[in-house]
Amino acid sequence: MRILIAECKQEVSTFNPALSGRHDFVYSSGDDIAAFHDGIDSEIGGALEVFREAGAEIVGGYSARAISSAGTLAADAWDSLAADFLDGMERAWSTGGFDGIYLSMHGAMCAQNESDPEGYLLQETRRIVGEAVPIVCSFDLHGIVTERMLSHIDGFTAYWTYPHNDFADTGARAARLLLRIIRDGVEPVMALVRVPALVRGDELITATGLIKGRIDECQAFEAAGGLSGSMFWGNPFTDVPELSSYAIMISDGDEQFAIDAATKSATNFWADRAAMQAPLIGIEAAVERAQALKDSVGGTVVLIDAADATSSGASGDSNAILRGLIKVGYDGSVLFPIVDAPAVEAAIAAGIGSTITVKLGGTLDPARFEPLEVEAYVRLLSDGRMFSETFGVEWYGGKTAVLEIGKMVVCVTSRAVALLDRTIFYACGQDPKRFDCVIQKSPHCRYELFAEWATELIGVDAPGSTSANLPYLGHTVCARPMYPMEPDATFTPEPNVFRRRS
């Protein structure tokens, strides 16, 4: 049994004006794909274990993995990336054909000249390999599942956790599904029910929030004989035509079983739509709350700036909360991350131990963030290479400077890195627990990283291209009406069924 594996993963915010490019990815091909993923907590890592246990021969095609989420992919970058991916597919296919194909994807890519990159790659992969070979994918539950994607694959799996911690499990589930198609002859039928609602907030934490009920339904569906159950709530920041939330259930030939399960989950999701919005407070009120907690309780207060979450596609150059802290006169110690290549270059030119006057923020998204002039002490300079606390693989933030503005420590990178954990802080020699206030530029991190020990987490209504205040963003492409942009939007379940095998 021969299995072809390949990968193309990026999540973007189309509201981020800074385009991403080829330099925002790392690449591998052939046997190097498996070599990279062996033993790590990734979808391909999990799939490899299942395939090898089954005695399969693994052949790598092409892998393009985004270093971090970012803005829309530039047209020329997409054209060359897509060409390389498909060239890798053709080269691998020419070695003798395959019994099945496994593709690791995200689902929320978007390029200037292609609103559905994953759909295009799947369409062209199908052109190369023909109609008979089964293709199974794994997706992020923040993916946007298009009809073109579903029309060219036999099945898929998606994450069941948020914050995500089931990468390898999701890949393993996809691998087992592919093996069942190849060896057992199962005939996947996919039922999709679209929900015209976009959601954010704590109720989407799958361990504790209302969304747990939908994940439980997906798992119950599989336990009752379903092949795969998924609830997608999309990426609200990737404004593309088919952006929405979806319940998708895949059964073994039983169309009504899949339709009933998808309809149930979609209906329950719709009922919870209002509760699944993020409670936010303004910057000034958030800073005043942080000051009050410092004075009365102590410990570390975490201000959540989800609007500038690089792990969701934001630019990372927001200085909005830093400006607010200075304006209100917050007197505690602060730890703050920001992307600002010119500020790093100024720090390098001055050298460690120097005091410089520099502008921070607004270099990538100047329409939202006016540069803030500060006087800062250059504490540390580095090459920006770090190892991810979550994944254990190398990340690269470009040249990096640690600046001190009084009791405020600012970790300044030249490039965006995912801020879904504490990697950037540790790489800059800073322990978040030693600060009165930490700015977390991620809507949610794993519980033990901040929430377990912080005095309080405060969601801040700040400007940015990944704001949880969804009406603020200004969607113009996705289907309307859409909740919460239209509070009076209505929902009628309309199942759509896809199947490739007779």
Side-chain angles (χ1 to χ4, degrees), residues 139-418:
F139 294 118
D140 190 313
L141 54 74
H142 293 111
I144 298 154
V145 183
T146 68
E147 292 190 9
R148 179 162 63 162
M149 291 159 64
L150 294 180
S151 67
H152 292 294
I153 63 176
D154 295 82
F156 69 87
T157 59
Y159 302 158
W160 278 341
T161 64
Y162 176 72
H164 309 314
N165 59 25
D166 62 337
F167 305 101
D169 287 346
T170 302
R173 288 168 51 222
R176 287 192 289 269
L177 174 55
L178 181 58
L179 292 178
R180 291 191 66 186
I181 296 171
I182 296 169
R183 297 189 303 194
D184 304 334
V186 299
E187 299 183 351
V189 56
M190 299 176 276
L192 176 152
V193 178
R194 174 181 176 272
V195 185
L198 304 178
V199 295
R200 298 298 284 174
D202 291 349
E203 295 300 334
L204 298 174
I205 298 174
T206 52
T208 58
L210 286 171
I211 198 63
K212 182 179 185 299
R214 309 294 73 75
I215 300 302
D216 288 346
E217 288 164 355
C218 293
Q219 294 172 340
F221 173 76
E222 291 195 12
L227 298 178
S228 176
S230 303
M231 186 75 229
F232 291 83
W233 49 98
N235 179 33
F237 318 120
T238 309
D239 188 16
V240 292
E242 293 185 60
L243 170 64
S244 191
S245 297
Y246 309 87
I248 308 178
M249 303 293 173
I250 307 176
S251 69
D252 180 10
D254 189 338
E255 181 175 309
Q256 196 59 50
F257 179 39
I259 288 174
D260 290 346
T263 300
K264 175 183 177 181
S265 284
T267 301
N268 289 337
F269 185 94
W270 175 255
D272 290 337
R273 68 194 183 283
M276 294 190 295
Q277 301 296 323
L280 303 170
I281 65 174
I283 293 175
E284 186 170 330
V287 173
E288 290 174 349
R289 173 67 176 163
Q291 182 71 59
L293 287 169
K294 171 191 167 293
D295 295 340
S296 62
V297 180
T300 302
V301 174
V302 175
L303 299 182
I304 300 175
D305 186 5
D308 198 35
T310 53
S311 57
S312 300
S315 53
D317 64 331
S318 171
N319 55 19
I321 294 180
L322 181 65
R323 186 185 296 274
L325 288 161
I326 293 172
K327 178 181 177 181
V328 172
Y330 181 79
D331 64 10
S333 57
V334 175
L335 184 57
F336 191 96
I338 197 167
V339 178
D340 194 320
V344 174
E345 291 299 332
I348 292 171
I352 293 174
S354 301
T355 298
I356 60 175
T357 298
V358 67
K359 292 182 178 179
L360 280 178
T363 56
L364 299 171
D365 195 350
R368 289 189 176 95
F369 314 120
E370 179 183 352
L372 175 65
E373 187 170 278
V374 297
E375 185 176 272
Y377 176 79
V378 182
R379 168 63 64 185
L380 180 147
L381 298 171
S382 81
D383 64 3
R385 295 191 179 278
M386 60 195 85
F387 280 87
S388 163
E389 179 182 18
T390 299
F391 301 105
V393 297
E394 188 175 54
W395 286 354
Y396 180 52
K399 296 176 183 178
T400 297
V402 178
L403 305 180
E404 294 181 355
I405 309 167
K407 292 194 288 185
M408 298 181 180
V409 176
V410 185
C411 302
V412 193
T413 59
S414 299
R415 299 168 49 124
V417 294

Side-chain angles (χ1 to χ4, degrees), residues 116-136:
D116 181 16
E118 293 94 343
Y120 173 80
L121 294 179
L122 289 167
Q123 168 190 292
E124 294 304 295
T125 295
R126 184 59 73 186
R127 176 185 59 80
I128 293 167
V129 306
E131 297 298 321
V133 62
I135 300 174
V136 170

